[in-house]
Amino acid sequence: MYFSYSGRPPFNSLIYPVPEPGGLGIHLTLDLAGQARFGPDVEWVDTEDYSVSLSRLEPFVRGIKAWWPSLDETRLQPAYAGIRPKLAGPDGGFADFRIEGPEQHGVGGVVNLFGIESPGLTSCLAIADLVAAKLT
Ligand SMILES: Cc1cc2nc3c(=O)[nH]c(=O)nc-3n(C[C@H](O)[C@H](O)[C@H](O)COP(=O)(O)OP(=O)(O)OC[C@H]3O[C@@H](n4cnc5c(N)ncnc54)[C@H](O)[C@@H]3O)c2cc1C
């Protein structure tokens, strides 16, 4: 879930706190129009619901104030939500970047990429090299 921050952006660069279990912590990013937004937070769900609930505001405020005490919480506005498939549940420990080729599943010419979370885009060229190596 994300909350946007109305008005002039308070910072001109991305800010990442220390990661939390299941996510990167409520961080600050700037959209293409330069507007600041905070998120995402981590909420484990069993059903699909993309509504942005104001009940999440208080934990957001707490999370942001941990690294920016002078946050003006009246400027936070519900923005949007998404659901991220995970390789492990809340008690499953940390798991991502599972790349399985023929040596794992025995099917020639197929490479599965599971849990390619952040920084999947940044590492896409290295991933492509690995996939190519698994196919040769
Ligand atoms: C909020 C967020 C922020 C991120 N920020 C960063 C970042 O700053 N830097 C970074 O490096 N990475 C970032 N990532 C991670 C990055 O987006 C992913 O690593 C990358 O998109 C993974 O690529 P992919 O091709 O494996 O999967 P996807 O991009 O998810 O592509 C999978 C595609 O398959 C389609 N699909 C799924 N099921 C089916 C089906 N049954 N039939 C047909 N099509 C199907 C989906 O619609 C989708 O288009 C971020 C991810 C999120 C969610």
Side-chain angles (χ1 to χ4, degrees):
M1 189 169 295
Y2 285 88
F3 279 81
S4 59
Y5 199 64
S6 63
R8 207 158 162 262
F11 302 98
N12 56 16
S13 61
L14 312 186
I15 300 180
Y16 282 77
V18 175
E20 61 184 73
L24 294 178
I26 296 178
H27 47 274
L28 172 91
T29 50
L30 304 169
D31 67 19
L32 290 177
Q35 165 135 46
R37 70 173 170 221
F38 293 96
D41 62 342
V42 175
E43 182 184 4
W44 297 93
V45 295
D46 294 317
T47 54
E48 283 188 38
D49 179 2
Y50 294 96
S51 57
V52 181
S53 166
L54 272 177
S55 69
R56 302 297 294 172
L57 181 63
E58 199 274 328
F60 255 81
V61 169
R62 212 175 334 113
I64 300 165
K65 282 193 169 173
W67 55 267
W68 184 32
S70 55
L71 166 79
D72 176 0
E73 56 200 73
T74 63
R75 289 171 62 186
L76 288 173
Q77 296 176 336
Y80 62 93
I83 297 177
R84 189 182 297 219
K86 303 286 284 184
L87 290 179
D91 303 317
F94 185 79
D96 65 2
F97 283 69
R98 200 160 87 203
I99 301 177
E100 298 177 345
E103 69 275 22
Q104 279 85 31
H105 53 59
V107 182
V110 174
V111 177
N112 293 321
L113 295 99
F114 298 119
I116 308 298
E117 298 194 33
S118 198
L121 293 179
T122 310
S123 48
C124 65
L125 295 179
I127 293 174
D129 285 342
L130 180 59
V131 169
K134 285 181 176 293
L135 292 175
T136 53

